[in-house]
């Protein structure tokens, strides 16, 4: 096989493969070639929808047909780059393999490699796919071992040993890597989910069916191979090309942009350039580790980036904010060439260091229970208040909360802040019904001031300002009032459905907090995550005669009003109670089934137990319970409601 050396770059080019554009199958693609995903690339991002589309394409592909799988853009790897690939150098030098970076198409290739690995694991000792033994398939597509098996050279993987690289080797290929395992990230979670996806499907196949799948992925899927000319700037190519499959997130694009800018900084030595590049990679690994730390609740890349941008740079309402500012105004080639402060070596170090610290705090803020279990936060009260905020949603307080957590380490100080924004969110948005964007610009600017120590902003000053905007007397700032609360609730009773409190956006959060109040020090019996957890005590379709007797003399409209009144709504501990929805009240309290088991309010949530103490259920009970619940609201959130105003909330 002939090779030639390009004069300036020292790149070995395999003449028989990718010196020009061509169509080929995976079988041809992996003839004496090694593929690496470079550090500026995103990690593996395909989820169930993309995997299912790919799988359906495979299943529907006819035996005599080929399937165009898409473009695969590759770049030859220079000698000075692959010389550090200790495990693969012997394959390149001794076996004549050519190394390539995958610039575009890595999601599809990664998916196929994981599928092949899974198919191989189902081969028995004497079984083959298309005449190839298990070992022959491994050495063609996955990895090659030296004769003494102490070195494993991988034919596909990541350029550097980031968490995805180690996960692929250890968890997918089942090989022990010298550098050991690293923390999981959202990308490694996706790799694991991809393997599970294929394993679940291949498990139910016979050998012949798996062999058909192997034939399809290795011989019938066709790639349009596009080699990248070294005259083109690879970072620009990556940023501007049309990304197939899932679109790159802005956090992924930013990583590429910063690495690119590090190569253009005037006067920067090679060692400094490499150091900055390594720092960028380290920070992004850390970010994705924490964004994906809780597998049940992975955090969105761009939401994190946007909230951090507000406190680090500035806030405005322009269309395309903040990504236009990130990529068109701040981190640009023009700024690098002109030696702008924003893009200096030191400033980028400071910026990515801030991102690094922010990723950990963003994880704590958004995944408090997971952080508490893992010992990252230790104060139970802080965890509980963060959980409350997560139930409500951070809303406009994302940047400010992130700034508070970056600037404050004392849990007691953090709790005081969390209490203040919890009251604001509940009273302003849910009770007063104000627009969800109210206060966005104001509190976003405060986040920037607090984080950057501007205008003497402290946490105490922040808390005072939030409190003033919630409870203050100045009409310019006073965003909550009993009148607004009353008007908002009355709006819920208008229209054809007239669902009243049942339709109130704050009802679920309020009922949850009310149940916590009733339970005192006892263990909670309700779960926030349980769907359809609110029950009408007096049912929406009261078919039993006992209900008609209890509500005799009330018009259908009045009955509907009572049904959707606050005092008639109860938070359930188990969905089984919903099966009793239209039963008479005594059956709702307790029903003994033919099996001998019993269900009902008597053994449900603390709210259910409280309701079960009533002998019967009628309009008076609904009103009295509603008043008790509103009294709790008044005391807990420290608001003023007169008897007249309370009455208005039930009329």
């Amino acid at each position: 096989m002939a090779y030639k050396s390009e004069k300036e770059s020292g790149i070995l080019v395999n003449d028989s493969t990718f010196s020009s554009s061509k169509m080929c199958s995976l079988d041809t693609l992996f003839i004496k070639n090694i593929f690496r995903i470079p550090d500026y690339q995103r990690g593996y991002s395909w989820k169930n929808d993309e995997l299912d589309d790919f799988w359906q394409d495979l299943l529907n592909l006819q035996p005599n047909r080929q399937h165009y799988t898409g473009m695969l853009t590759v770049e030859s790897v220079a000698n000075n780059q692959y010389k550090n690939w200790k495990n693969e150098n012997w394959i390149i030098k001794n076996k004549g393999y050519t190394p390539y970076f995958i610039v575009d198409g890595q999601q599809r290739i990664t998916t196929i490699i994981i599928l092949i690995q899974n198919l191989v694991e189902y081969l028995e000792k004497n079984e083959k796919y298309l005449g190839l033994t298990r070992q022959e398939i491994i050495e063609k597509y996955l990895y090659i071992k030296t004769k003494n098996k102490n070195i494993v050279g991988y034919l596909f993987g990541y350029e550097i040993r980031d968490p995805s690289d180690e996960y692929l080797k250890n968890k997918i290929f089942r090989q022990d890597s010298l550098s050991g395992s690293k923390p999981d990230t959202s990308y490694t979670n996706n790799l694991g989910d991809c393997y599970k996806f294929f394993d679940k499907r291949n498990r139910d196949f016979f050998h012949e069916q798996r062999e058909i799948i192997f034939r399809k992925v290795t011989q019938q899927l066709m790639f349009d191979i596009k080699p990248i000319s070294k005259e083109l700037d690879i970072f620009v190519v990556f940023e501007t090309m049309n990304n197939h499959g899932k679109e790159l997130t802005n956090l992924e694009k930013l990583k590429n942009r910063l690495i690119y800018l590090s190569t253009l900084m005037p006067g920067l030595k090679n060692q400094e350039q490499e150091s900055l590049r390594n720092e960028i990679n380290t920070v992004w690994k850390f970010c994705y580790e924490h964004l994906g730390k809780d597998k049940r609740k992975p955090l969105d890349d761009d939401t994190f980036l946007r909230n951090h941008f507000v406190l680090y740079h500035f806030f405005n309402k322009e269309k395309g904010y903040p990504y236009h500012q990130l990529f068109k105004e701040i981190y640009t080639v023009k700024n690098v060439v002109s030696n702008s402060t924003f893009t200096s070596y030191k400033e980028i170090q400071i910026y990515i260091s801030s991102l690094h610290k922010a990723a950990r705090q963003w994880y704590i803020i958004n995944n408090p229970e997971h952080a508490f279990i893992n010992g990252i936060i230790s104060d139970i009260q802080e965890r509980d208040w963060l959980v409350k905020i997560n139930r409500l949603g951070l809303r406009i307080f994302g940047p400010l909360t992130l700034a508070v957590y970056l600037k404050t380490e004392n849990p007691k100080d953090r709790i005081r802040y969390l209490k203040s924004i919890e009251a604001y969110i509940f009273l302003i948005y849910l009770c007063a019904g104000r627009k969800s964007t109210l206060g966005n610009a104001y509190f976003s600017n405060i986040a920037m001031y607090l984080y950057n120590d501007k205008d003497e902003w402290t946490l105490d000053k922040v808390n005072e300002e939030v409190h003033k905007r919630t409870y203050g007397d100045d009409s310019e700032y006073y965003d909550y009032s009993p009148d607004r609360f009353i008007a908002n609730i009355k709006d819920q009773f208008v229209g054809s459905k007239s669902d009243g409190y049942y339709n109130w956006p704050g009802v679920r959060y309020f009922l949850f907090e009310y149940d916590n109040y009733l339970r005192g020090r006892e263990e909670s019996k309700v779960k926030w995550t349980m769907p359809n957890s609110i029950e009408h005590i007096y049912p929406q379709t009261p078919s039993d005669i006992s209900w008609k007797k209890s509500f005799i003399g009330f018009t259908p409209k009045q009955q509907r009003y009572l049904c959707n009144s606050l005092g008639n709504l109860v938070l359930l501990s188990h969905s089984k109670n919903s099966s009793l929805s239209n039963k008479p009240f005594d059956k709702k309290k307790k029903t003994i089934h033919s099996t001998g088991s019993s269900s009902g309010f008597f053994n449900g949530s603390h709210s259910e137990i409280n309701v079960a103490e009533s002998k019967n259920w009628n309009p008076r009970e609904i009103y009295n319970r509603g008043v008790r619940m509103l009294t709790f609201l008044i005391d807990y959130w420290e608001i003023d409601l007169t008897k007249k105003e309370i009455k208005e909330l039930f009329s």
Side-chain angles (χ1 to χ4, degrees):
M1 189 172 289
Y3 295 93
K4 64 179 179 181
S5 177
E6 293 189 5
K7 293 181 180 179
E8 294 185 358
S9 61
I11 301 169
L12 286 176
V13 178
N14 183 338
D15 283 340
S16 66
T17 51
F18 312 132
S19 57
S20 61
S21 178
K22 63 189 297 184
M23 293 285 291
C24 72
S25 66
L26 197 78
D27 183 56
T28 303
L29 188 66
F30 273 81
I31 294 177
K32 297 250 175 184
N33 293 313
I34 293 176
F35 298 97
R36 287 294 176 271
I37 299 165
D39 60 359
Y40 56 80
Q41 275 271 23
R42 63 153 27 137
Y44 185 69
S45 63
W46 274 18
K47 294 186 181 294
N48 194 72
D49 286 347
E50 290 84 12
L51 292 172
D52 193 59
D53 288 344
F54 174 80
W55 184 250
Q56 292 304 319
D57 285 343
L58 276 183
L59 295 181
N60 294 324
L61 181 56
Q62 298 303 307
N64 59 341
R65 299 293 298 273
Q66 292 180 325
H67 179 75
Y68 175 69
T69 311
M71 185 169 64
L72 186 70
T73 309
V74 296
E75 176 200 17
S76 296
V77 183
N79 294 340
N80 62 352
Q81 290 175 295
Y82 72 69
K83 69 180 181 181
N84 296 319
W85 301 359
K86 295 179 181 178
N87 282 16
E88 286 73 37
N89 240 316
W90 68 278
I91 302 176
I92 296 168
K93 291 180 178 179
N94 300 339
K95 290 182 172 288
Y97 278 68
T98 305
Y100 289 96
F101 285 138
I102 298 177
V103 180
D104 185 43
Q106 63 116 331
Q107 304 292 337
R108 296 183 297 279
I109 288 293
T110 306
T111 302
I112 291 169
I113 291 299
I114 292 174
L115 173 54
I116 289 174
Q117 170 66 30
N118 183 252
L119 287 168
V120 161
E121 291 179 11
Y122 280 98
L123 276 177
E124 299 293 341
K125 186 175 182 180
N126 297 321
E127 288 182 330
K128 297 179 180 181
Y129 291 143
L130 306 182
L132 296 174
T133 65
R134 177 191 180 104
Q135 192 59 34
E136 287 171 334
I137 293 170
I138 288 173
E139 291 184 355
K140 180 172 178 60
Y141 299 105
L142 305 177
Y143 52 84
I144 303 174
K145 294 184 179 181
T146 52
K147 286 185 178 180
N148 55 12
K149 297 186 178 181
N150 63 342
I151 298 178
V152 182
Y154 295 90
L155 304 179
F156 175 84
Y158 294 80
E159 181 198 2
I160 55 176
R161 286 181 174 174
D162 65 5
S164 292
D165 180 55
E166 298 307 319
Y167 193 96
L168 194 68
K169 294 173 181 176
N170 295 328
K171 302 293 178 68
I172 305 297
F173 295 152
R174 320 293 184 191
Q175 300 298 306
D176 292 328
S177 173
L178 294 176
S179 57
S181 61
K182 289 186 173 147
D184 287 350
T185 69
S186 55
Y187 292 140
T188 61
N189 293 341
N190 292 338
L191 289 170
D193 289 343
C194 175
Y195 180 88
K196 291 173 186 175
F197 178 93
F198 290 128
D199 188 55
K200 183 178 179 181
R201 285 148 183 81
N202 287 324
R203 190 184 308 144
D204 297 330
F205 280 175
F206 297 112
H207 170 77
E208 292 76 12
Q209 293 171 301
R210 296 189 196 107
E211 186 174 33
I212 289 170
I213 294 295
F214 181 77
R215 176 188 290 111
K216 288 179 179 181
V217 296
T218 58
Q219 297 186 6
Q220 292 177 247
L221 297 184
M222 301 301 291
F223 293 88
D224 183 10
I225 310 300
K226 299 287 185 184
I228 293 290
S229 168
K230 296 308 292 184
E231 282 73 33
L232 296 175
D233 196 308
I234 192 62
F235 296 101
V236 177
V237 170
F238 173 74
E239 191 168 299
T240 58
M241 74 169 38
N242 178 30
N243 293 291
H244 305 283
K246 293 191 73 171
E247 185 178 351
L248 290 170
T249 68
N250 287 288
L251 187 60
E252 291 165 334
K253 292 176 185 175
L254 181 61
K255 177 188 177 184
N256 174 69
R257 175 63 65 87
L258 293 180
I259 291 177
Y260 176 41
L261 296 183
S262 73
T263 67
L264 303 177
M265 290 179 180
L268 207 62
K269 297 177 182 177
N270 289 339
Q271 187 176 357
E272 292 174 315
Q273 187 183 105
E274 187 64 25
S275 175
L276 182 56
R277 183 169 185 153
N278 289 336
E279 286 181 51
I280 293 167
N281 277 310
T282 299
V283 168
W284 257 254
K285 291 174 201 172
F286 187 84
C287 286
Y288 281 113
E289 175 195 340
H290 282 77
L291 292 174
K293 207 172 188 70
D294 186 350
K295 295 181 181 180
R296 301 165 305 169
K297 188 186 173 184
L299 303 175
D300 181 69
D301 302 18
D302 288 345
T303 302
F304 163 65
L305 181 61
R306 183 170 62 251
N307 279 274
H308 178 266
F309 186 93
V310 171
L311 62 90
Y312 191 88
H313 285 297
F314 57 84
F315 170 83
N316 72 31
K317 297 180 181 179
E318 290 180 12
K319 186 178 180 180
Y321 169 86
Y323 309 119
H324 175 83
Q325 287 80 2
L326 267 171
F327 298 109
K328 302 295 184 182
E329 296 178 7
I330 300 175
Y331 300 109
T332 67
V333 175
K334 180 181 178 181
N335 284 342
V336 170
V337 174
S338 63
N339 288 313
S340 167
T341 304
F342 280 132
T343 52
S344 69
Y345 181 86
K346 186 65 177 175
E347 180 52 44
I348 288 183
Q349 278 187 316
I350 294 170
Y351 175 62
I352 65 174
S353 174
S354 178
L355 274 173
H356 184 276
K357 294 172 183 175
R360 185 175 189 271
Q361 301 305 325
W362 191 245
Y363 154 70
I364 291 171
I365 291 165
N366 289 278
N367 298 85
E369 291 176 296
H370 191 269
F372 184 80
I373 291 170
N374 287 279
I376 297 173
I377 55 173
S378 57
D379 191 286
I380 295 176
Q381 278 193 309
E382 182 184 12
R383 177 204 65 184
D384 290 346
W385 277 98
L386 278 170
V387 168
K388 286 177 188 281
I389 299 301
N390 273 266
R391 290 183 193 129
L392 284 168
L394 277 168
R395 302 177 187 244
I396 65 167
F397 289 103
L400 183 55
T401 305
L402 183 55
V404 167
Y405 267 71
L406 285 167
K407 301 292 286 187
T408 312
E409 294 183 1
N410 190 324
K412 291 182 179 179
D413 293 334
R414 290 174 169 181
I415 290 168
R416 279 195 291 272
Y417 164 77
L418 294 172
K419 286 181 178 180
S420 69
I421 67 167
E422 189 266 355
Y424 184 99
I425 294 169
F426 180 74
L427 293 174
I428 305 305
Y429 299 131
L430 300 182
C431 290
R434 302 301 298 270
K435 289 183 178 179
S436 61
T437 55
L438 182 69
N440 192 14
Y442 184 73
F443 287 116
S444 292
N445 285 327
I446 289 178
M448 183 185 66
Y449 297 150
L450 178 67
Y451 179 74
N452 293 289
D453 300 313
K454 289 186 177 182
D455 299 336
E456 299 180 348
W457 275 92
T458 63
L459 184 55
D460 286 340
K461 188 176 177 181
V462 168
N463 288 336
E464 288 173 12
E465 197 62 22
V466 176
H467 188 274
K468 182 174 73 173
R469 294 253 169 176
T470 311
Y471 298 103
D473 296 326
D474 190 335
S475 61
E476 182 184 353
Y477 299 113
Y478 198 24
D479 295 331
Y480 164 84
S481 72
D483 289 343
R484 286 197 174 107
F485 185 17
I486 292 167
N488 184 37
I489 293 301
K490 286 191 172 183
D491 281 347
Q492 313 305 323
F493 286 95
V494 175
S496 57
K497 288 190 175 181
S498 304
D499 286 335
Y501 279 94
Y502 190 68
N503 197 46
W504 174 38
V507 68
R508 190 157 175 262
Y509 182 79
F510 172 76
L511 291 177
F512 198 91
E513 290 303 313
Y514 184 64
D515 196 77
N516 282 335
Y517 158 72
L518 291 176
R519 73 180 174 89
R521 294 180 178 274
E522 293 183 38
E523 187 177 347
S524 178
K525 296 184 176 185
V526 294
K527 291 183 179 180
W528 178 258
T529 54
M530 195 183 86
N532 304 319
S533 56
I534 300 174
E535 166 81 347
H536 292 82
I537 304 166
Y538 168 50
Q540 298 181 81
T541 54
S543 56
D544 191 83
I545 189 67
S546 64
W547 289 120
K548 294 178 182 179
K549 287 181 179 180
S550 296
F551 289 81
I552 194 169
F554 290 87
T555 66
K557 184 176 180 181
Q558 290 172 327
Q559 289 176 8
R560 183 166 186 81
Y561 189 97
L562 286 164
C563 178
N564 291 305
S565 184
L566 184 62
N568 193 54
L569 302 177
V570 65
L571 192 69
L572 302 178
S573 63
H574 301 288
S575 57
K576 65 180 181 181
N577 288 333
S578 63
S579 64
L580 305 173
S581 60
N582 290 321
K583 300 288 185 182
F585 183 62
D586 61 335
K587 296 292 184 183
K588 281 197 165 193
K589 289 198 294 181
K590 186 172 184 178
T591 293
I592 299 175
H593 304 286
S594 58
T595 58
S597 63
S598 57
S599 61
F601 291 158
F602 82 99
N603 66 350
S605 67
H606 291 87
S607 299
E608 290 176 84
I609 294 169
N610 182 259
V611 168
E613 292 172 357
S614 299
K615 290 183 179 180
N616 50 52
W617 201 252
N618 53 41
R620 176 53 57 184
E621 290 285 348
I622 292 173
Y623 179 79
N624 289 340
R625 181 171 180 262
V627 170
R628 292 196 299 272
M629 295 168 84
L630 268 186
T631 301
F632 160 73
L633 188 151
I634 291 166
D635 293 340
Y636 189 82
W637 281 281
E638 300 178 350
I639 62 172
D640 294 324
L641 282 174
T642 65
K643 289 183 179 179
K644 182 182 177 182
E645 288 166 341
I646 290 174
K647 191 173 181 180
E648 281 194 75
L649 286 165
F650 293 112
S651 61

